[in-house]
């Protein structure tokens, strides 16, 4: 034990590392009580057809407003939730809350919209994840295909066989699966073919460089072509500018998610966004 302490004691002299660890501990402690204190909420970012007029669904994105630390980014707290095991109850809450939103959409006549949920590798690999999803969806009385589960490539690297098996079971049940942040990991084209995914989400980093760099443009065009060859729906995420949108339209990208159309919105604002689109289309007897 002395040796161990000795070895790690150098940490003590690195103020930035110490600070980082200290903050992580504080945040994790605070994270333990987020559910009982009602500090979490979901925002929903619209996904539209490239024409910008038709909404096909939303992505649910977790928000934490802490009384002590203010607004904390999911990029900061999700890894802490994963490390501490808190991702299980938090992930469960996210799924239940999303299904409640889907149910609300249906009640308002929006039956054919989907809502995508991010799933961390740890959640997916939990032994009862598939049955838990089934229970949540059946309890909410929504259709499985109204839910999209987004997984990142990292899950496949961690344990390919197990992940694929779970994904297949979920797919058989009827939920759609998306490969998130596509292109940022080590996904090999070989296994992309064997994965039970329906949707590819091209990461924002590729979209950012799309307009400025010829090679990057070619890369994005190839990703879309490849995805289509595998019968996948292609979603571009992080689309911010008109030139980016035009290129993606030109390449035949199926779906656009980004600030150009909307930031992630609180539930009420998401519903208002839907209403506004419906009015603009001036469909006299849309869903009621
Ligand atoms: P992600 O799943 O790749 O989500 C897309 C991120 O890009 C979101 O960041 C979204 O707000 C942001 N984004 C979308 N369009 C634009 C744009 O045009 N410009 C810019 N600058 N950003 C855009 P957010 O909400 O901060 O979430 C970050 C990440 O946290 C997510 O990346 C996802 O990996 C993770 N996350 C969020 N909610 C959950 C959750 O409920 N469960 C899990 N496991 N992870 C989550
Ligand atoms: Mg996502
Ligand atoms: Mg993503
Ligand atoms: Mg991303």
């Amino acid at each position: 034990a002395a040796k161990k302490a000795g070895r790690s004691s150098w940490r003590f002299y690195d103020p930035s590392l110490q600070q980082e660890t200290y903050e992580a501990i504080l945040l994790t402690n605070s994270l333990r009580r987020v559910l009982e204190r009602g500090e979490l909420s979901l925002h929903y970012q619209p996904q539209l057809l490239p024409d910008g007029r038709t909404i096909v669904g939303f992505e649910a994105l977790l928000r934490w407003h802490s009384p002590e630390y203010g607004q904390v980014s999911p990029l900061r707290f999700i890894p802490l939730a994963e490390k501490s095991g808190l991702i299980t109850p938090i992930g469960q809450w996210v799924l239940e809350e999303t299904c409640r939103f889907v149910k609300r959409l249906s009640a308002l006549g929006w039956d054919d919209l989907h809502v995508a949920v991010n799933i961390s590798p740890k959640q997916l690999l939990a032994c009862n994840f598939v049955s838990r999803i089934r229970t949540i969806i059946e309890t909410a009385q929504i259709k499985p295909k109204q839910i999209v589960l987004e997984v990142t490539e990292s899950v496949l690297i961690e344990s390919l066989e197990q992940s694929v098996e779970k994904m297949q079971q979920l797919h058989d049940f009827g939920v759609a699966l998306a490969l998130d942040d596509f292109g940022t990991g080590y996904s090999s084209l070989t296994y992309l073919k064997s994965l039970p995914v329906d949707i590819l989400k091209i990461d924002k980093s590729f979209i950012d460089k799309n307009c400025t760099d010829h090679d990057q443009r070619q890369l994005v065009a190839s990703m879309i072509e490849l995805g289509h060859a595998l019968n996948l729906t292609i979603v571009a995420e992080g689309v911010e500018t008109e030139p980016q949108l035009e290129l993606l339209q030109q390449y035949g990208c199926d779906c656009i998610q980004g600030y150009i159309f909307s930031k992630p919105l609180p539930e009420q604002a998401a519903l208002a966004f839907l209403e506004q689109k419906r009015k603009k289309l001036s469909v006299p007897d849309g869903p009621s």
Side-chain angles (χ1 to χ4, degrees):
K3 196 179 168 193
K4 205 174 168 194
R7 213 193 286 157
S8 57
S9 61
W10 62 271
R11 283 167 165 257
F12 209 75
Y13 299 104
D14 181 337
S16 66
L17 190 61
Q18 190 194 3
Q19 181 64 38
E20 163 61 27
T21 313
Y22 184 56
E23 196 195 70
I25 292 168
L26 289 180
L27 282 172
T28 305
N29 276 337
S30 205
L31 207 49
R32 284 179 215 291
R33 320 240 320 258
V34 283
L35 289 174
E36 65 192 63
R37 297 204 284 186
E39 293 169 7
L40 296 180
S41 65
L42 290 182
H43 282 195
Y44 302 95
Q45 187 175 29
Q47 301 176 328
L48 292 89
L49 296 183
D51 68 10
R53 301 195 306 165
T54 315
I55 302 175
V56 294
F58 294 92
E59 177 176 18
L61 293 157
L62 193 52
R63 296 291 176 259
W64 176 21
H65 185 81
S66 155
E68 292 97 2
Y69 309 106
Q71 204 67 34
V72 187
S73 164
L75 294 173
R76 181 76 181 102
F77 71 81
I78 293 285
L80 299 177
E82 281 175 12
K83 257 180 236 147
S84 59
L86 290 164
I87 195 67
T88 306
I90 290 174
Q92 174 92 8
W93 181 87
V94 169
L95 283 162
E96 286 168 357
E97 184 72 3
T98 300
C99 289
R100 203 193 45 68
F101 179 58
V102 167
K103 181 110 182 146
R104 184 149 183 224
L105 288 174
S106 290
L108 293 167
W110 303 99
D111 274 301
D112 42 9
L113 300 181
H114 62 250
V115 181
V117 188
N118 294 284
I119 298 297
S120 81
K122 228 182 176 168
Q123 270 177 287
L124 180 72
L125 292 172
C127 60
N128 54 357
F129 183 69
V130 177
S131 66
R132 224 185 276 169
I133 289 265
R134 295 178 85 109
T135 307
I136 295 171
I137 288 178
E138 280 161 8
T139 307
Q141 296 176 296
I142 62 170
K143 288 174 258 162
K145 68 164 190 186
Q146 291 177 285
I147 296 290
V148 178
L149 299 178
E150 296 194 357
V151 297
T152 59
E153 294 165 305
S154 60
V155 70
L156 307 167
I157 296 153
E158 273 174 42
S159 70
L160 181 64
E161 241 170 78
Q162 253 183 301
S163 309
V164 171
E165 193 186 313
K166 299 266 180 180
M167 287 163 77
Q168 190 62 57
Q169 289 167 2
L170 291 162
H171 199 256
D172 292 344
F173 174 55
V175 297
L177 291 161
L179 197 54
D180 203 355
D181 303 342
F182 180 67
T184 59
Y186 303 89
S187 56
S188 115
L189 303 180
T190 327
Y191 71 64
L192 188 55
K193 184 166 89 265
S194 60
L195 286 180
V197 295
D198 312 276
I199 298 164
L200 270 192
K201 296 192 79 175
I202 301 179
D203 192 65
K204 181 179 186 303
S205 55
F206 295 95
I207 309 300
D208 287 343
K209 297 178 200 136
N210 193 17
C211 290
T212 46
D213 183 319
H214 172 265
D215 290 347
Q216 288 289 333
R217 275 203 297 277
Q218 287 310 307
L219 194 55
V220 172
S222 313
M223 284 165 133
I224 294 174
E225 202 177 325
L226 169 79
H228 283 163
L230 296 172
N231 264 322
L232 303 173
T233 299
I234 315 295
V235 179
E237 81 181 350
V239 183
E240 292 180 346
T241 69
E242 201 62 48
Q244 289 170 349
L245 178 63
E246 274 165 26
L247 281 170
L248 290 162
Q249 286 168 334
Q250 197 183 309
Y251 301 150
C253 184
D254 302 293
C255 186
I256 305 291
Q257 180 183 344
Y259 293 178
I260 189 165
F261 291 139
S262 174
K263 292 196 168 184
L265 303 167
E267 179 163 331
Q268 264 328 107
L271 294 174
F273 187 84
L274 275 173
E275 272 313 314
Q276 190 198 343
K277 286 285 165 193
R278 181 157 74 184
K279 278 195 196 118
K280 274 207 189 117
L281 284 174
S282 64
V283 181
D285 49 17
S288 54

